Structures are given as structure tokens and as C-alpha cells.
Amino acid sequence: MNSASDLAALAALLADETRAAMCLALLDGRAWTAGELAIQTGVARSTATEHLHRLIDGGLLVERRQGRHRYVQLAGPSVANLLEDLSARLEPRQAPARGLRAAAVSAALRRGRTCYDHLAGRLGVAVTDAMTGAGLLDQTGGFALTAAGLAWLTGPVGLDPDVLRFGKRPLARGCLDWTERRQHLAGVAGARLCEKFFDNSWVVRIGSGRAVRLTLNGKAALRDLLGVPDID
Amino acid sequence: MNSASDLAALAALLADETRAAMCLALLDGRAWTAGELAIQTGVARSTATEHLHRLIDGGLLVERRQGRHRYVQLAGPSVANLLEDLSARLEPRQAPARGLRAAAVSAALRRGRTCYDHLAGRLGVAVTDAMTGAGLLDQTGGFALTAAGLAWLTGPVGLDPDVLRFGKRPLARGCLDWTERRQHLAGVAGARLCEKFFDNSWVVRIGSGRAVRLTLNGKAALRDLLGVPDID
DNA sequence: ATCTCATTTCGGCGGGTACCGAACGGTCGC
DNA sequence: GCGACCGTTCGGTACCCGCCGAAATGAGAT
């Protein structure tokens, strides 16, 4: 009805620990089956079904049915964005427990990972910092790709200029990194750059999680493109 | 405990219609008493007290006790930011009902209003567009104040350069306008600029709400500073 | 001191919902 | 076709939480 009840309805979707855990798991950007999410969150399959219904009805998730499987996925970058913002708000309060938290999070995850569709962790922050230092990103007056940055992406990096023009999603956006407490590059540019990293095998996934590892090729590429001496 | 339960706890704060309405009312950036919020949301005072406790404990609100009154306020720009993002997510789904919504929202509110601590509505969007057109803001590669924009704020506009350097809050940030469906300027620059508008009586509040009206002085200032012909 | 008024605490009621297990319905592989 | 597997539907239970009114608290005002 009114705007308050809409806001409450949206918040209610995430107000349950199981649904929240599902969304956080889906933050890796990939599609999960209903059963996988049931196991991940530790509830019965029937319970997971109900939760997924609500999340899909609420527009946070989309489904794709394939044979006897039902794959669900975040509905888009804006949902991932929202979840990141909410998670970021949690961090400051947990800051005092930094030592413990740092130990709880795997070293690989802190070193590098994907954050929905872009790079995060020390790797993501290092790339962002190097781009800023090279005048490709402007972080002093907000967060934006400079003209030089656009030229760099379409030139040396070799991205198609067309894929960088995409509707209303911003070209560059800062995303607060929850392990580094620093911003890293998100938005269309972040997503396409991440894609490029995978396509060129500059990074590879570690196991089945969202952690990634920089390859030797990747290190060389970062040196050539950004003058990054060595990460980690 | 884990990150999912923290996220759920945060979302639960907004998952109640009464608490959501309180937060939306507080989005005007001002401090309200507990009683005022009880009336605004239509619940008993005792109920309002309980809700405010939860919102304060959760870190979304801060209180300031003054005599027998208890004033509450949003805990800061980051909370306002979060509420804006959540509200923005609601809009696309309500877009089809645009005609009806437009009628329901007062014309004054659509013309100009405050959004926590910066300008919004047609006025806010017009200022943002004029700044972008003049090369003071960069919206093509994200959302950032340009060097020229910084010089403009500290020069012609007359802002103190020191107040523009403030901790981790970004200098410029885009905030989605829920009546105009366009971005307007937020962040430190947006807040200080809005302050200037009030200090110079370029805008004045209409009644007790969050709607504002551009004065004759304000129109002249916009013409001089940004070459804006006439708004509305 | 006494009155007034904003706010808070407490007990209790009622509704919403997360959860599970069991039964059911598709889909795939043999 | 038959078993194995994934997902869904359907009771039924337990619990949480929002709500109110009445009584209590605390800070001005007279």
C-alpha cells in the first residue's frame, strides 16, 4: 500500500537468518540449486522451497528450471549492490573483533575473491589502488572512471567499448570490501574487467568457493598494465 | 554470531511497518520526539518506545534527551544512504502506477525537498544536471566531483575547503530521486551545498514538512552560478 | 509541594511464520 | 517400466513479536 509497508516487506525478506544466509551464499554470483541451498543453510528441503518462493516473489531472486533441478540466482547487480551495502553497515560494529574475524576468514578468501561479478579482497583493492594511482580512477571527488581510465580499458586491456555502455548501471562504482575495509571497483567496468581476468586466465577459482588465485600470467599482466610490482 | 544472523537482525529492524515508517519520517534529517513519531505512525506511545529502543540498539538511530523529551534522529548519513537505496529498489516495481503516485505526492514535494541533508526533487535534479553540464560533475564514468567542481564550490559558491574534507564519507555521491527517477547530488558536497542554500535563503522550508521552495534570491543565484534559466 | 505531561515498564492477548516430517509429483538413468 | 533423486505441497507445532492499556517514573511548570 504505502511506502512504509513496501519497505517493511522488502526488509522482511532478509529478516530471517535462513533467507539471509541464502542471499549471502548467492552473492558469489552463481546459480545454486534449491537442494544445495537447503544443505548450505541447514534446513529441510521443504523449508528451503518456501523461502525461495518468498525471495523470488519479492524480486530478489530469479529462477531457471532445468530438468528436475531448479536453479536460483540473484535477480541482478542491483540486488548484489544492496546486499553489499547492508553487509558493509555490519562491519563497523564488528571491527573490535578484527583479530578473531581475520582468523575465521580463510586466508585465500582475504587474498582474492569475487564479489558478485567483480574482484574483491586484497587483489581487488590492489587493482583499484593501482588504477587510482595511475589516474584511471578518481576517488577524491567520489568514485568515477576518468577519460584515461576509459581509454585504458578499451585500449591496453582490450575491452569492447560497446559492452561498457549498458543501460542505467553505472560504469564505475565503489564497493566496500569487508575484509580490507577499503573500496574496490564495481559497476560495469568492474564486472567486465573481472570477466577479462577469468577469460585470460589471469585468475582462477580455488575449489568451488568464491576465492580466486592470481596466476603467473596474471602477475605479469598486472605488472605490464598497471606497474603493480607484486601482490602478496 | 555469523554474518547471516547479523544481516537478518539488521533487516528485522526495518521489517516492521511501524519501524519502517519511523525511519522514513526521520529521513528528513531532523530530530523527532517519541510522541511525535507515535502519532505519525498511529500506534500507542508505549509501542513507539519499544520500537525506538530496538532501532537505537541496532545503531540506526541515536537519541538525545532534553528535559522530559526524548529526541531521536538517524544515526548518520550512512543510515540515510541505506534507506534511500532500499527505497530506490522499491520504485521500479511501482513505476506502472506513476500517474496515481504522482497525484498522491504533493506538487510542492515533487518540486523541491530535502533528502536527509541534501536537495532533492526537481530542484535537486536540476542543480545536479546543471553542474554536470558545466563540467563540475562527472556522471559518465560513475559519479564524482571534477577538479573544476571542487574549485567552483570553494570559489564562487564560497564553501570552506576544510569542511569538504571529512573522514570517509564520499565527497560526491549519486542519490536516486524517487519522484524524478534521476540521480541528484549527495555526499559531503551535496550536504554543504544544501546548507549554503538555506544559509543564503536561496530556499526556505514550506510549512513543517520536508518540502522547500526556491526564493527569488535563489533563482538569481542559480542563474549567476550555473546559468540555469528558470526552474519550474 | 503539587500538578501536568512526556515517556517508560509490565502483563497479557493475538496473529504471523519458521520449522519439520510425510506424502506426492516430475524428471532422469538403467 | 522401475528405482533414484530433486523439488513441492500439506498439516501441525512451537515460538516470536507487535500491540494495547494500566500503572509507574521523571522532569518541568505553578
Side-chain angles (χ1 to χ4, degrees):
Chain A
M1 190 70 87
N2 53 44
S3 143
S5 67
D6 289 338
L7 173 56
L10 173 59
L13 292 177
L14 298 173
D16 176 77
E17 182 171 346
T18 302
R19 283 195 297 270
M22 287 175 166
C23 289
L24 289 178
L26 288 165
L27 246 192
D28 70 354
R30 291 183 288 186
W32 293 52
T33 67
E36 285 170 342
L37 284 171
I39 295 170
Q40 167 79 17
T41 56
V43 295
R45 283 193 297 273
S46 57
T47 305
T49 294
E50 293 168 5
H51 285 311
L52 292 178
H53 262 142
R54 291 193 56 175
L55 290 170
I56 290 169
D57 285 348
L60 293 184
L61 266 46
V62 290
E63 67 177 346
R64 189 162 41 91
R65 307 188 99 101
Q66 225 170 70
R68 58 179 163 182
H69 291 279
R70 177 209 209 179
Y71 289 95
V72 294
Q73 204 170 2
L74 291 187
S78 70
V79 178
N81 192 350
L82 192 61
L83 291 170
E84 290 159 11
D85 286 350
L86 284 164
S87 302
R89 161 127 214 105
L90 263 26
E91 291 317 310
R93 350 188 88 244
Q94 298 170 349
R98 176 163 198 165
L100 290 174
R101 284 192 66 79
V105 176
S106 94
L109 214 50
R110 270 179 293 142
R111 192 173 293 127
R113 63 179 182 279
T114 52
C115 176
Y116 187 57
D117 61 4
H118 54 271
L119 294 173
R122 278 207 293 279
L123 173 60
V125 171
V127 170
T128 303
D129 284 351
M131 288 178 67
T132 304
L136 308 176
L137 275 179
D138 171 20
Q139 285 197 64
T140 62
F143 200 103
L145 201 62
T146 64
L150 188 58
W152 178 76
L153 285 176
T154 55
V157 176
L159 286 179
D160 182 350
D162 291 336
V163 306
L164 289 177
R165 309 242 163 250
F166 234 90
K168 33 186 276 187
R169 188 177 179 199
L171 197 49
R173 194 175 62 75
C175 174
L176 191 59
D177 197 291
W178 60 276
T179 52
E180 299 298 303
R181 310 280 162 80
R182 302 275 311 282
Q183 292 212 307
H184 58 244
L185 175 65
V188 174
R192 292 295 152 274
L193 190 59
C194 175
E195 209 172 76
K196 197 75 180 175
F197 269 67
F198 276 108
D199 287 350
N200 290 1
S201 294
W202 292 345
V203 295
V204 292
R205 288 203 184 272
I206 301 176
S208 62
R210 49 201 284 198
V212 301
R213 180 173 56 81
L214 193 62
T215 63
L216 285 178
N217 276 346
K219 287 190 184 183
L222 283 186
R223 225 176 3 251
D224 296 345
L225 287 169
L226 288 169
V228 173
D230 215 2
I231 299 183
D232 223 27
Chain B
M1 190 71 87
N2 53 44
S3 142
S5 66
D6 289 338
L7 173 57
L10 173 59
L13 292 177
L14 298 173
D16 175 76
E17 183 172 344
T18 302
R19 282 194 297 270
M22 287 175 167
C23 289
L24 290 178
L26 288 164
L27 246 192
D28 69 355
R30 291 183 288 185
W32 294 51
T33 66
E36 284 171 343
L37 284 171
I39 294 170
Q40 168 78 17
T41 56
V43 295
R45 283 190 294 273
S46 57
T47 306
T49 293
E50 291 168 6
H51 286 311
L52 291 178
H53 261 143
R54 291 192 57 175
L55 289 171
I56 290 169
D57 285 348
L60 293 185
L61 266 44
V62 290
E63 66 177 347
R64 188 162 43 89
R65 306 189 99 101
Q66 226 171 68
R68 56 181 164 179
H69 291 280
R70 177 207 208 181
Y71 287 96
V72 293
Q73 205 169 359
L74 291 187
S78 70
V79 177
N81 193 350
L82 191 62
L83 291 170
E84 289 159 11
D85 286 351
L86 284 164
S87 302
R89 162 128 212 104
L90 262 26
E91 291 318 310
R93 348 186 89 243
Q94 298 171 348
R98 176 163 200 167
L100 290 174
R101 283 191 66 80
V105 176
S106 94
L109 214 51
R110 270 180 292 143
R111 191 173 294 128
R113 63 180 181 276
T114 53
C115 176
Y116 186 58
D117 61 5
H118 54 271
L119 293 173
R122 277 207 293 279
L123 173 61
V125 171
V127 170
T128 304
D129 284 352
M131 288 179 66
T132 304
L136 309 176
L137 276 178
D138 172 20
Q139 285 195 64
T140 62
F143 201 104
L145 201 64
T146 63
L150 189 57
W152 179 76
L153 286 175
T154 56
V157 175
L159 286 179
D160 182 351
D162 291 337
V163 307
L164 289 176
R165 310 244 160 250
F166 233 91
K168 32 187 279 190
R169 189 178 177 196
L171 196 50
R173 192 174 64 73
C175 173
L176 192 58
D177 197 293
W178 59 276
T179 52
E180 298 299 302
R181 310 281 162 78
R182 304 273 311 282
Q183 292 212 307
H184 58 244
L185 174 65
V188 174
R192 294 292 152 269
L193 190 59
C194 176
E195 209 171 74
K196 197 75 179 175
F197 269 67
F198 277 110
D199 287 350
N200 291 0
S201 295
W202 292 345
V203 295
V204 292
R205 288 204 185 273
I206 300 176
S208 62
R210 48 201 283 200
V212 300
R213 179 173 58 80
L214 193 62
T215 63
L216 285 177
N217 275 348
K219 288 191 182 182
L222 284 185
R223 224 176 2 249
D224 295 344
L225 287 168
L226 288 168
V228 173
D230 214 2
I231 299 182
D232 223 26

